[in-house]
Amino acid sequence: MKKFLILLLSVSMIATLLAGCRGAKTEEATATEEGLKIAIVSSPSGVDDGSFNQNNYEGILAFIEANPGATVTPVKEESGEVTAAVQAVADIVADYDVIVCCGFQFQGISTVAQENPDVNFILVDAYPTDAEYNIIEVENIYAMQFKEQESGFCAGIAAALETKTGKVAVVNGIAFPTNVNYQYGFESGVNYANKNYGTTAEVVELASYSGTTNDGVNVGGNYVGDFNDEATGKVVAEALIGQGVDMIFVAAGASGNGVLTACKEAEGVFYLGCDVDQYDDGAKGDANVILTSALKIMDMNVEAQLTKVANGTFAGANALLGADTYSTGFVSEEGRHQMQDDTVLKVAEAFEKVVAGEIVPASNFNGMTPDAFTGL
């Protein structure tokens, strides 16, 4: 019990920290003293997307607050294409000490990094690859991927326990490995709840929006096909709501704003946030449509690597971060979610087993599909 309480408090403290970061200014930070010149290159949704990109940016801002001589320049890569993303980094590499690259589309920056050994790179949500797309380690790239399936697992359990219609769904942006992790984790969580907590939730998928990975694998789910298409996000959500879905977990970047709008316009439909605490975005008059949010703690890890650059201990690595370092989790802080107390306890109970390694949800990384999930 003591271990459980510590776990629950840890998750709550992380949620509190993230909640405190929301609303951070996204203009270029400036300083009068000389320090690290940092650039953050993001996807088309930009560093004020209220989710993935913004959380990375907030990690930089936290570093600057502790190191007032540092500056940051946000750079938005408008297309989201792999070639264009790498070129956007190459175009600015000579001007900065550190470049933070946000997203799977930046996996090809290894050549740029190797040609500029005096510049350090922080790559989020991907590992660097060579010209043949083989994963490699580069001395001046710290690449971090996350076990998103662990956070998605929490969301799936919560959705299964809270649904009134018995129908739940997940909406993603593009079938990048990170999004597939969220999907598989969510579906694993629903399966876990059905097996262990007596729920009978059904995961609804629309065949016309099934996802296909870059190597041609159909992973099902509901994929918008873009991280910056609110209109299609709303269309997908309305179709799911039309089939009776009342719990929608969303990992779709700015496309998720369209899903959120659809949830607000419907009655009795809840949205489960992703990456950061999205509770403030869910206001609907005096009510709120955010059930909880699945967390991926990027800001803390970005800030830690920038600190290492500043103190000379930075080293390239390909890191996989998860529950064991509290880099994943869910929002359980009172006033920041709408789960019943029993749901919070059950999700936290299951997450404790994830932390301990007793439960390993299905993911893109481990080659396991939700149907084959063995943590039941």
Side-chain angles (χ1 to χ4, degrees):
M1 179 61 70
K2 182 178 180 182
K3 182 179 180 182
F4 167 74
L5 290 173
I6 291 172
L7 169 67
L8 190 57
L9 287 170
S10 298
V11 174
S12 296
M13 285 189 291
I14 289 171
T16 302
L17 289 171
L18 285 176
C21 288
R22 289 191 56 75
K25 295 180 180 179
T26 57
E27 66 266 20
E28 181 177 341
T30 60
T32 56
E33 299 178 7
E34 185 177 358
L36 288 179
K37 294 182 64 178
I38 307 164
I40 177 170
V41 189
S42 71
S43 65
S45 53
V47 297
D48 56 356
D49 63 356
S51 186
F52 173 73
N53 292 320
Q54 183 167 328
N55 191 232
N56 283 285
Y57 188 63
E58 288 166 348
I60 300 172
L61 295 182
F63 171 79
I64 290 174
E65 184 175 356
N67 299 268
T71 61
V72 60
T73 301
V75 177
K76 183 191 296 187
E77 197 292 296
E78 297 284 356
S79 74
E81 296 294 330
V82 173
T83 301
V86 174
Q87 187 60 51
V89 176
D91 288 343
I92 64 169
V93 67
D95 299 325
Y96 296 95
D97 302 308
V98 188
I99 301 178
V100 179
C101 301
C102 305
F104 181 73
Q105 67 270 32
F106 293 98
Q107 64 178 337
I109 63 169
S110 55
T111 299
V112 177
Q114 290 166 337
E115 291 176 349
N116 295 273
D118 294 332
V119 180
N120 291 313
F121 296 81
I122 299 172
L123 176 58
V124 185
D125 265 5
Y127 293 150
T129 58
D130 62 18
E132 285 73 43
Y133 300 103
N134 300 306
I135 293 174
I136 59 174
E137 288 195 3
V138 181
E139 289 185 358
N140 56 334
I141 300 177
Y142 180 89
M144 63 181 89
Q145 292 193 12
F146 293 81
K147 299 179 182 179
E148 293 92 356
Q149 67 274 11
E150 296 174 346
S151 303
F153 179 71
C154 296
I157 295 174
L161 288 167
E162 294 287 344
T163 179
K164 300 297 189 295
T165 65
K167 294 184 177 182
V168 303
V170 54
V171 174
N172 297 98
I174 301 173
F176 288 160
T178 52
N179 264 212
V180 176
N181 283 347
Y182 272 130
Q183 175 198 342
Y184 280 10
F186 178 83
E187 293 171 357
S188 295
V190 173
N191 292 343
Y192 183 88
N194 288 345
K195 177 69 175 181
N196 293 277
Y197 297 142
T199 58
T200 57
E202 171 193 355
V203 178
V204 177
E205 298 183 340
L206 305 171
S208 57
Y209 290 102
S210 62
T212 302
T213 65
N214 60 354
D215 53 356
V217 177
N218 188 319
V219 294
N222 304 289
Y223 284 82
V224 176
D226 197 299
F227 289 111
N228 199 35
D229 186 351
E230 293 187 23
T232 302
K234 186 179 181 186
V235 168
V236 174
E238 288 174 339
L240 290 168
I241 293 168
Q243 293 199 15
V245 171
D246 67 345
M247 297 283 160
I248 306 179
F249 175 46
V250 184
S255 297
N257 294 333
V259 181
L260 184 60
T261 298
C263 291
K264 289 181 178 181
E265 292 177 354
E267 292 297 326
V269 177
F270 286 88
Y271 179 111
L272 289 86
C274 172
D275 288 344
V276 300
D277 179 359
Q278 293 190 263
Y279 192 79
D280 292 334
D281 298 328
K284 179 183 177 181
D286 295 333
N288 195 296
V289 300
I290 304 295
L291 183 71
T292 185
S293 298
L295 300 175
K296 183 162 67 172
I297 319 300
M298 297 167 289
D299 56 350
M300 174 184 73
N301 287 289
V302 168
E303 181 184 2
Q305 293 307 312
L306 289 172
T307 300
K308 290 184 177 182
V309 173
N311 65 27
T313 62
F314 180 87
N318 291 345
L320 182 59
L321 307 173
D324 55 342
T325 59
Y326 291 99
S327 293
T328 57
F330 72 106
V331 172
S332 60
E333 179 194 358
E334 186 175 352
R336 305 297 301 178
H337 69 88
Q338 297 186 88
M339 298 177 288
Q340 301 175 76
D341 291 345
D342 185 60
T343 296
V344 175
L345 291 173
K346 283 183 167 65
V347 177
E349 174 187 61
F351 187 63
E352 181 179 9
K353 295 180 180 179
V354 174
V355 173
E358 297 172 17
I359 292 178
V360 180
S363 78
N364 182 77
F365 295 120
N366 62 20
M368 183 194 306
T369 63
D371 290 341
F373 170 57
T374 58
L376 304 177

